Amino acid sequence: MNHIAHNLSAIRERIARASQASGRAPEEVLLLAISKTFPVELIEQAVESGQCRFGESRVQEAEGKIPPLRAIPNLEWHLVGHLQSNKARRAAELFDVIHSLDNVKLAARLDQACREMGKKISVLLQVDLGGEETKFGTPPEKTAEIIKALAAFPSLHLDGLMTIPPFLDDPEQVRPYFRMLRAIKDDMEARNPGCLGKRHLSMGMSHDFEVAISEGATIVRIGTAIFGSRQ
Ligand SMILES: *Cc1c(COP(=O)(O)O)cnc(C)c1O
C-alpha cells in the first residue's frame, strides 16, 4: 500500500469513528481531499484508493491539474481558496463546487459565466468568523442579506456554508467557531426553510476535523493528513 492509500484509509476510519461518537452516520460526512501544491500523480494515487472529491485553492494551479484528469470519470472538483471576480469564468469552467463565495458581485460573475456555458454550479457561502485572521468571507451579520440576494442567480445552487477559522493549536479551541457556523445555518434555515439547499457545513481540516464533525460538519477539507506536509 502506498502512503496515500494508507493515509486515506486511516482518515476514513477516523471520520467514521468521529461520526458515530456523535450519533451521526459516517455517510453524512464527505471527505474532500485538498490536493493544492501536490502533483497530478499523487491525485491519481488517491483516485486509485477510491477518493473522488478533490479541492484546490487557486484557479491558476487548478488550470494545470484538472484538465489532464478529465478522462477519469466521476471526479468532483471543489475550489476552497479565495476567488477574485476576474477569475470567475475560469473557475466556473473548472469546478463543480465553489466554497469561497462571499459577495454578490462574484455571484453575478459566476452566474453569468455558468449561464453562457449552460452549466449549474454548487456554491457555499464563506462566512468569516475569525475577524482579523481570515481576511475573506462575509461577516455573520450580512449572511441573511447575501443569501437573499443569491436567489436572483438561477445558475448557482446555494448548498450551505463554509468557514476557515483562525489556526489554533488545540482543536478544542476551534470548537466555538464550528458551533457558530452551525448556529448560523440553523438560523438561516429557520427564517427561510430550504434556502441552503443541501445544507452543507464545510468545516474542519487535518488537525481539527473530528471536532468539526462533532459540531455538524458535512464536508471536511483535508490536505496534510492525506498528502503530507506542504513546502
Ligand atoms: C489548505 C486548505 C485546507 C487543508 O488544510 P490541511 O491542514 O492541510 O488539512 C482546507 N481548507 C482550505 C480552505 C485550505 O486552503
Side-chain angles (χ1 to χ4, degrees), residues 4-67:
I4 289 184
H6 177 271
N7 291 347
L8 271 170
S9 94
I11 291 289
R12 288 192 191 112
E13 211 174 295
R14 287 170 62 188
I15 290 174
R17 239 181 285 136
S19 308
Q20 278 151 4
S22 41
R24 305 181 57 201
E27 311 82 66
E28 280 177 37
V29 182
L30 305 179
L31 171 56
L32 184 61
I34 306 298
S35 48
K36 66 184 182 200
T37 78
F38 292 101
V40 166
E41 292 70 39
L42 293 192
I43 298 174
E44 285 169 332
Q45 283 187 22
V47 171
E48 280 161 28
S49 307
Q51 182 62 27
C52 62
R53 291 183 183 85
F54 293 90
E56 285 286 332
S57 80
R58 296 174 59 232
V59 172
Q60 200 178 344
E61 182 183 346
E63 276 181 321
K65 288 160 75 176
I66 297 178

Side-chain angles (χ1 to χ4, degrees), residues 34 36 80 164 205-206 221-224 230:
I34 306 298
K36 66 184 182 200
V80 299
I164 307 175
M205 321 207 293
S206 289
R221 310 181 305 260
I222 300 183
T224 314
R230 290 179 293 272

Side-chain angles (χ1 to χ4, degrees), residues 149-168:
L150 292 181
F153 302 117
S155 298
L156 307 184
H157 278 295
L158 178 62
D159 275 327
L161 305 176
M162 176 271 212
T163 197
I164 307 175
F167 186 92
L168 300 164

Side-chain angles (χ1 to χ4, degrees), residues 119-161:
K119 174 179 180 175
K120 299 222 173 185
I121 201 169
S122 178
V123 297
L124 306 180
L125 181 64
Q126 180 175 351
V127 182
D128 177 16
L129 301 174
E132 57 213 69
E133 277 190 69
T134 52
K135 298 184 292 290
F136 303 116
T138 182
E141 63 275 14
K142 286 188 82 180
T143 50
E145 183 189 323
I146 295 198
I147 288 172
K148 208 166 166 193
L150 292 181
F153 302 117
S155 298
L156 307 184
H157 278 295
L158 178 62
D159 275 327
L161 305 176

Side-chain angles (χ1 to χ4, degrees), residues 144-191:
E145 183 189 323
I146 295 198
I147 288 172
K148 208 166 166 193
L150 292 181
F153 302 117
S155 298
L156 307 184
H157 278 295
L158 178 62
D159 275 327
L161 305 176
M162 176 271 212
T163 197
I164 307 175
F167 186 92
L168 300 164
D169 285 331
D170 176 4
E172 277 302 326
Q173 289 186 298
V174 193
R175 189 183 289 278
Y177 295 93
F178 297 145
R179 195 165 283 179
M180 247 187 283
L181 193 69
R182 170 159 192 174
I184 293 170
K185 183 189 82 164
D186 291 345
D187 181 37
M188 294 301 126
E189 279 284 337
R191 294 193 206 192

